[in-house]
Amino acid sequence: PGLTLLLLLANEAVLRALRDWRRAARPAATALAIAGALAGYGALRLADLRAQAEPRVLLRAALVQADLSRYARLRDELGSYDAAVRILAEHFELSERALARGPLDLIVWPETVYPTTFGAPKSADGAELDRAIAGFAALHRVPLVFGAYDAEDGEEFNAAFFLSPGGEYQVYRKQALFPLTERVPAWLDSPSLRRLLPWLGTWRSGGGPRVVELALA
């Protein structure tokens, strides 16, 4: 929240400077001061962390995120199956590039990168995509952490899946869902509201934090 507030203040200062260039000195200086203060604080913290770090590699992970967004628009253009195939293909390719640079202990993909349920496919196409993800981890012998949906008793959860090369996986269900995007309070939810705001999610909250054990490559 603090960073968001500072970002808004800096943007407001830049906007005022652009609107009235004759009096731009003060708002421009404010924006620069905010950026400089954050950069200085970051430099101090990084120096402190480097001083405390042990001189050895504890974990080598690839954090992979393709330049894809607006999954709903992609689904409308390509269809659900082809959209999921393209999203996965992009992440497979980027992950293979990372693997080509050297051995990895772990690969991490973003939240909801797989825009359907994993482990409980809704169709034969979904089961094929599940096998493709599991096959990638098995082929490269590296565990994979990725975001998808988990399903139970007709309800779905925004979840992180911890998939081992052998095909076994564990699930963490997200607890703190973003209001009016990932969840809607029951007292506010209605068909008319969902017609007005079609992006509203239907996920349920998970059971809270827990430790997930995963054997690294």
Side-chain angles (χ1 to χ4, degrees), residues 58-137:
L58 300 179
L59 174 69
R60 188 181 298 274
L63 311 182
V64 177
Q65 183 165 8
D67 186 16
L68 292 173
S69 60
R70 301 184 182 274
Y71 283 3
R73 179 180 297 178
L74 195 64
R75 182 186 62 232
D76 293 341
E77 293 174 355
L78 303 178
S80 298
Y81 175 75
D82 287 339
V85 167
R86 178 174 174 189
I87 293 167
L88 291 178
E90 293 270 359
H91 286 83
F92 287 151
E93 180 183 353
L94 290 172
S95 299
E96 287 171 351
R97 289 188 198 174
L99 286 161
R101 297 173 186 166
L104 295 172
D105 297 306
L106 178 70
I107 295 177
V108 182
W109 291 352
E111 182 180 14
T112 64
V113 63
Y114 185 44
T116 185
T117 55
F118 181 82
K122 300 177 181 180
S123 65
D125 287 339
E128 178 186 339
L129 295 175
D130 281 10
R131 289 192 294 270
I133 295 174
F136 177 86

Side-chain angles (χ1 to χ4, degrees), residues 1-2 15 23 40 43 45 53 56 63 77 92 104 118 124-125 136 169 173-174 178 181 194 215:
L15 180 62
R23 301 178 180 177
R45 287 293 294 126
R56 61 191 179 95
L63 311 182
E77 293 174 355
F92 287 151
L104 295 172
F118 181 82
D125 287 339
F136 177 86
Y169 65 87
R173 295 173 175 175
K174 186 174 181 180
F178 198 85
T181 301
R194 291 189 176 276

Side-chain angles (χ1 to χ4, degrees), residues 197-217:
L197 306 175
W199 62 81
L200 295 178
T202 57
W203 286 320
R204 296 292 180 261
S205 295
R210 67 187 183 88
V211 174
V212 177
E213 294 187 0
L214 183 65
L216 301 179

Side-chain angles (χ1 to χ4, degrees), residues 116-200:
T116 185
T117 55
F118 181 82
K122 300 177 181 180
S123 65
D125 287 339
E128 178 186 339
L129 295 175
D130 281 10
R131 289 192 294 270
I133 295 174
F136 177 86
L139 175 64
H140 297 288
R141 299 180 181 178
V142 61
L144 177 64
V145 179
F146 64 98
Y149 307 164
D150 192 28
E152 183 180 9
D153 298 331
E155 295 184 338
E156 290 189 356
F157 304 83
N158 184 2
F161 286 78
F162 298 77
L163 176 65
S164 72
E168 303 84 9
Y169 65 87
Q170 297 187 66
V171 185
Y172 168 75
R173 295 173 175 175
K174 186 174 181 180
Q175 181 186 25
L177 298 175
F178 198 85
L180 297 182
T181 301
E182 295 180 323
R183 70 172 179 85
V184 181
W187 59 270
L188 185 61
D189 199 356
S190 68
S192 58
L193 178 67
R194 291 189 176 276
R195 283 194 298 270
L196 181 64
L197 306 175
W199 62 81
L200 295 178

